[in-house]
Amino acid sequence: MRRYPEEVTAETQPDAVTVVLADAQPVVRRGLHALLSPSAEVAVTGEAASAREALALATATRPDVLVLDVELPGFQAGVTIQEINRVSPSTAVLVFTAVEDEHAILAAMWAGARGYVLKSCPGDGIVRTIRGLATGEVILGPRVADKLIGQLSREPRNQQLFPELTAREREVLELIASGMRNVAIAAKLNLSPKTVSNHISIIFSKLNVSDRYEAIEVARRARLGRPGPPGHSPVVRGGSVLLAGRRGVVAPGAAAYAGARSVRG
């Protein structure tokens, strides 16, 4: 982990977008640093080589944008991005990776990433993306947008929510959110109470919650266990993705995808 107090930072260049770079490969971090540093609009304030380091830097420096790879050591989409958003709510997380798997994209965006761009993106594209995220935009690479739209169109709504959970775990979570106790859930699903209890322990761990009440709150904010609002559906606009309910928010920890757009790459 490296911080750059000796270089141009928010203190010496107050209008610059502050950025932390998190990638396991030093050559990638150096390349991004060299690409971004000449811009007077961007100040790289640190580098991280693992998810733990990225979280520590987000906590210590609260950058405007944190650029990270989903292949970072210790990275878990349902935990790492949510935790970064928790310790530094003003930080926009940009996933910058070679991974274009649909499930990885969906998991990152539902966890709260505000951008997902492939490493094939040209240099000027990543600079524009960072500036856009710092002003509140949500930006996807066009190939990423295509894959995300395809995944959303194929999966039932409950599978779009909490992709880190199995189908059975999502079913148990929805029943918890509807107010059912373990014995009733066991009877409904033809499971033993012990099996239901095991599912619930795993759900707590994956959602990073400590008890049943926190799990219910998370589930109900995602509209599990009760009807969702009218008009709660994905909308495609010009190759970009806009996920909007009546208030523009789709899930706990997820970004409001107002003004989402794509960049080439």
Side-chain angles (χ1 to χ4, degrees):
M1 181 171 69
R2 298 179 62 189
R3 291 180 62 179
Y4 298 107
E6 73 282 1
E7 297 186 10
V8 176
T9 64
E11 285 73 27
T12 58
Q13 195 171 322
D15 294 330
V17 175
T18 55
V19 179
V20 164
L21 307 174
D23 197 289
Q25 301 299 320
V27 66
V28 174
R29 299 196 304 271
R30 286 197 296 268
L32 281 173
H33 195 168
L35 178 67
L36 297 173
S37 293
S39 172
E41 299 177 348
V42 177
V44 177
T45 58
E47 296 181 15
S50 69
R52 182 185 296 272
E53 291 182 0
L55 181 60
L57 276 175
T59 303
T61 67
R62 299 184 183 276
D64 296 315
V65 179
L66 194 154
V67 182
L68 61 78
D69 190 346
V70 295
E71 295 185 303
L72 272 176
F75 178 87
Q76 294 178 283
V79 176
T80 304
I81 296 174
Q82 288 180 358
E83 191 65 11
I84 291 169
N85 287 334
R86 184 186 69 80
V87 300
S88 184
S90 62
T91 296
V93 175
L94 169 62
V95 175
F96 183 63
T97 184
V99 177
E100 51 182 304
D101 174 75
E102 294 173 349
H103 296 289
I105 295 167
L106 193 61
M109 299 308 292
W110 278 105
R114 293 195 62 86
Y116 199 113
V117 176
L118 299 180
K119 288 182 176 177
S120 56
C121 177
D124 60 342
I126 189 66
V127 175
R128 291 198 310 272
T129 296
I130 287 172
R131 290 202 304 261
L133 263 64
T135 61
E137 292 185 280
V138 174
I139 301 176
L140 308 175
R143 282 160 57 189
V144 171
D146 288 344
K147 286 181 176 292
L148 184 58
I149 293 166
Q151 184 75 358
L152 291 173
S153 67
R154 285 194 299 273
E155 292 193 356
R157 178 175 173 270
N158 283 0
Q159 289 183 326
Q160 297 168 22
L161 299 173
F162 311 114
E164 63 270 42
L165 302 182
T166 65
R168 176 64 83 185
E169 289 162 359
R170 281 191 295 270
E171 192 173 16
V172 171
L173 178 61
E174 184 158 15
L175 293 176
I176 291 173
S178 70
M180 293 180 68
R181 307 303 296 178
N182 289 16
V183 173
I185 293 173
K188 181 175 180 63
L189 300 180
N190 294 317
L191 300 173
S192 71
K194 176 65 174 175
T195 299
V196 171
S197 180
N198 289 340
H199 280 311
I200 291 172
S201 295
I202 293 170
I203 290 167
F204 288 0
S205 176
K206 288 184 177 181
L207 296 185
N208 197 29
V209 299
S210 58
D211 56 37
R212 194 181 197 94
Y213 298 104
E214 287 187 20
I216 290 173
E217 181 182 0
V218 167
R220 287 185 174 174
R221 288 207 307 266
R223 301 292 176 178
L224 278 183
R226 60 185 180 186
H232 188 91
S233 59
V235 180
V236 181
R237 292 184 179 173
S240 301
V241 179
L242 173 65
L243 304 182
R246 294 176 67 181
R247 297 180 182 273
V249 178
V250 247
Y257 289 75
R261 63 186 178 87
S262 62
V263 295
R264 294 189 177 275

